Amino acid sequence: MNISRSLQCGHAERPIGIFDSGVGGLTVFKALRARLPGEHLLYLGDTARLPYGTKSAESVTRYALRAASHLAERGVKMLVIACNTASAIAMPVLVREFAPLPVIGVVEAGAEAAVRTSQSGHIAVLATESTVLGGAYERAIKALCPGARVFSQACSLFVALAEEGWIHGPLVEAVVREYLHPLLEEKKRDGLDCLVLGCTHFPLLKETIAQVAGAGVMLVDSGETVARAVEKLLAEQRLTLGQSTRGGARFLATDGVERFARVGSLFLGERLAAQDVERVDL
Ligand code: DGL
């Protein structure tokens, strides 16, 4: 693939490409649109292969390469890996394969925000099973703050709850309480004071997670932090599009455009129609 050639015009007018395993990355899309309203955004949800969070590193890397190639072929000016699992596992490969296209992942941005937020240096990461197994958050946090203590917890059921729109209520609270139990013990014993929402779906459960985590624990949402990182990198590379007009948005999905639109509306906080979503094969 000839990325260099497609970037030669280096035009700021090109869209920012964002990809996720499904609709969850729309939390990142939303944060990007709020921070950079003039930018054109092209979002790809790999719904045919969802979930990534329980797949092997080999599969996640292969899927991520395909999704990123599709966006690169469409001439995006930057790649944002909204999926925490893909960022955690495939980031080095994506950076290498797509150079000089700038690639930003959610893990580094989330780790940076966590280190900035935590006073005690005792940080918890809530993520999918594959993200936790890969240990990328722990490495990224410790690279920034070698003395940090990182406690990681896989919370697989949160993905299904968010996809169902179950974000409040006693059942959700019970599930959150179950997963957070060991972290609350750490908080009591050892001053854990920061919790990273290390999965695209978890910001939807933010209120319940915050309530269960209780006072003294700050939540870090990777959507907001990655939007800040994208803004900075665009400025550094002189790729920022003027903010005078509203940027466009396009949505691509590898399967189930109706479901993408229905569940996506929940993540986006506004109505998305099936005809707004283009079905693509990777
Ligand atoms: N997008 C994934 C993540 O952020 C969650 C959903 C999945 O398992 O594919 O880790």
Side-chain angles (χ1 to χ4, degrees), residues 117-139:
T117 305
S118 176
Q119 301 281 312
S120 66
H122 198 177
I123 297 164
V125 177
L126 306 183
T128 64
E129 198 180 312
S130 305
T131 301
V132 169
L133 282 176
Y137 264 107
E138 191 158 347
R139 283 193 298 280

Side-chain angles (χ1 to χ4, degrees), residues 20-22 24-25 50-54 82-86 128 131 159 198-201:
D20 179 44
S21 53
L50 177 93
Y52 283 12
T54 51
C83 179
N84 285 257
T85 307
T128 64
T131 301
V159 173
C199 172
T200 47
H201 288 58

Side-chain angles (χ1 to χ4, degrees), residues 13 44 52 116 121 149 151 159 282:
E13 290 78 19
L44 169 62
Y52 283 12
R116 221 182 316 118
R149 278 157 303 152
F151 190 98
V159 173
L282 298 184

Side-chain angles (χ1 to χ4, degrees), residues 1 64 66 94 97 110 121 150 154 166 218 220 223 232 234 239 256 274:
M1 94 208 67
R66 279 200 207 159
L94 293 171
E97 285 294 312
V150 185
W166 289 10
M218 303 280 287
V220 166
K232 188 163 164 263
L234 284 177
L239 283 171

Side-chain angles (χ1 to χ4, degrees), residues 170-274:
L171 186 137
V172 179
E173 201 184 309
V175 175
V176 171
R177 211 167 271 291
E178 185 71 26
Y179 279 123
L180 261 59
H181 179 74
L183 311 185
L184 296 176
E185 292 297 307
E186 290 281 311
K187 179 185 169 192
K188 249 191 273 165
R189 196 173 45 233
D190 213 11
L192 184 146
D193 68 350
C194 175
L195 213 158
V196 181
L197 303 177
C199 172
T200 47
H201 288 58
F202 299 179
L204 260 77
L205 303 172
K206 201 172 179 175
E207 274 176 35
T208 309
I209 295 171
Q211 183 197 323
V212 171
V217 178
M218 303 280 287
L219 265 50
V220 166
D221 176 339
S222 48
E224 288 159 19
T225 50
V226 88
R228 269 198 294 272
V230 169
E231 184 179 37
K232 188 163 164 263
L233 192 59
L234 284 177
E236 278 166 15
Q237 307 227 349
R238 298 177 186 280
L239 283 171
T240 308
L241 185 59
Q243 303 290 307
S244 52
T245 51
R246 184 159 172 81
R250 291 189 66 185
F251 302 96
L252 315 172
T254 52
D255 193 25
V257 293
E258 286 82 13
R259 183 176 163 83
F260 183 99
R262 180 166 43 82
V263 184
S265 303
L266 182 73
F267 282 76
L268 214 47
E270 63 186 78
R271 202 181 114 70
L272 191 63

